[in-house]
Amino acid sequence: MASSLRTRRGGARLRAVALIGIDGSGKTTQAHRLAEALTAAGHPATYHRNAGGRRWLGRLAQRVGRPDAQRLVGRDGLLAVESVLRWLAIALALLSCLVTGRTAVMDRWSACQYASIRAHGGQRWERLARAGYRIFPPPAVTILLTVDPAEAYQRIERRGTDHESMRWLTAADAAYRALPEFAGFVVVDGNGTPEEVSRRIRAHLSEWLPDDPPAVARPPSDGTPRPSGGGRDGPVAAQARP
């Protein structure tokens, strides 16, 4: 269990939080939920999807008779387009939240680009990407959602909007774990229902989000007392690096 973020952050305002992980790990679902939860708790937040355009390029490739984005623009072209589009998305998100004063909930961050570069085998591009992304202040919290690649594959197939190979998902999972920033990530188990994963995330953000309120036991209509243990389960403990 990671140490409390309350201790680590010293009560600082949550300016930005990023959710990262392989495709199918639940980033988008949890980022939307987190933005809503923060706003409800009195910390106005905005969701930002910092996509690199790979899904859009994949659809374009299929329209022109190519199997995927890499076959359309080449590996180096894909990495260049991803890096630029994601940089622009992050820049706009940070600028927006600087102007409005709202918390930025980032669906993807620069680490996603570094992992993509490594998974594609284009390590020589990583130095250039890091030079470009270095101007961005790091999020207060970066949450890495970990999920079994086989489970991620099934989730992608169920949503039916795109397709990823097991080979790619496995390579991307390994790439995230090999990043030098990995030691600073808050690692949260992304397996399970969205509700379970949300509780794990909330357990790490207790400084800004109150614990889930306990269920209030109500006596049955016949007046007999309820047996103990019928309340709602508390937050599920997050799985994080020690």
Side-chain angles (χ1 to χ4, degrees):
M1 179 71 67
S3 60
S4 168
L5 285 176
R6 183 187 303 275
T7 302
R8 290 167 55 190
R9 304 301 173 187
R13 181 171 76 87
L14 186 63
R15 298 182 182 276
V17 55
L19 285 87
I20 63 176
I22 66 173
D23 198 12
S25 61
K27 299 184 297 297
T28 299
T29 297
Q30 295 305 324
H32 277 295
R33 284 172 170 258
L34 181 55
E36 293 171 359
L38 286 168
T39 300
H43 307 287
T46 303
Y47 166 88
H48 296 276
R49 185 173 185 270
N50 302 317
R54 190 159 59 94
R55 187 180 300 181
W56 175 81
L57 280 173
R59 293 172 180 169
L60 177 62
Q62 291 180 353
R63 290 179 181 176
V64 298
R66 301 294 179 87
D68 54 40
Q70 188 165 328
R71 299 291 181 87
L72 177 66
V73 296
R75 187 198 66 180
D76 290 349
L78 175 61
L79 293 177
V81 171
E82 270 191 345
S83 297
V84 171
L85 291 181
R86 201 183 309 278
W87 190 97
L88 291 172
I90 292 174
L92 289 174
L94 291 175
L95 178 61
S96 171
C97 289
L98 179 64
V99 172
T100 63
R102 298 173 68 89
T103 296
V105 179
M106 303 292 200
D107 176 1
R108 300 170 177 83
W109 185 250
S110 58
C112 297
Q113 193 57 41
Y114 307 151
S116 177
I117 291 171
R118 292 189 176 205
H120 277 104
Q123 280 81 350
R124 70 187 184 89
W125 285 94
E126 186 174 342
R127 181 178 298 179
L128 291 174
R130 287 183 177 276
Y133 284 96
R134 191 173 294 131
I135 69 170
F136 298 134
V141 185
T142 300
I143 296 172
L144 173 62
L145 292 173
T146 60
V147 64
D148 186 285
E151 170 62 21
Y153 179 86
Q154 292 298 325
R155 292 179 181 180
I156 296 168
E157 291 299 301
R158 283 196 297 268
R159 73 191 183 199
T161 59
D162 57 337
H163 175 76
E164 298 290 357
S165 69
M166 274 294 298
R167 180 180 179 182
W168 162 256
L169 293 171
T170 301
D173 179 66
Y176 274 108
R177 297 174 188 275
L179 290 176
E181 295 88 352
F182 180 72
F185 296 155
V186 174
V187 183
V188 174
D189 183 4
N191 297 285
T193 67
E195 291 74 21
E196 290 170 340
V197 178
S198 291
R199 289 201 297 270
R200 294 168 187 159
I201 292 173
R202 291 177 68 101
H204 280 289
L205 297 176
S206 57
E207 180 177 352
W208 302 280
L209 292 172
D211 293 336
D212 290 340
V216 178
R218 297 181 179 179
S221 56
D222 60 3
T224 58
R226 286 185 182 272
S228 62
R232 179 181 174 184
D233 292 339
V236 178
Q239 297 183 6
R241 294 182 83 241

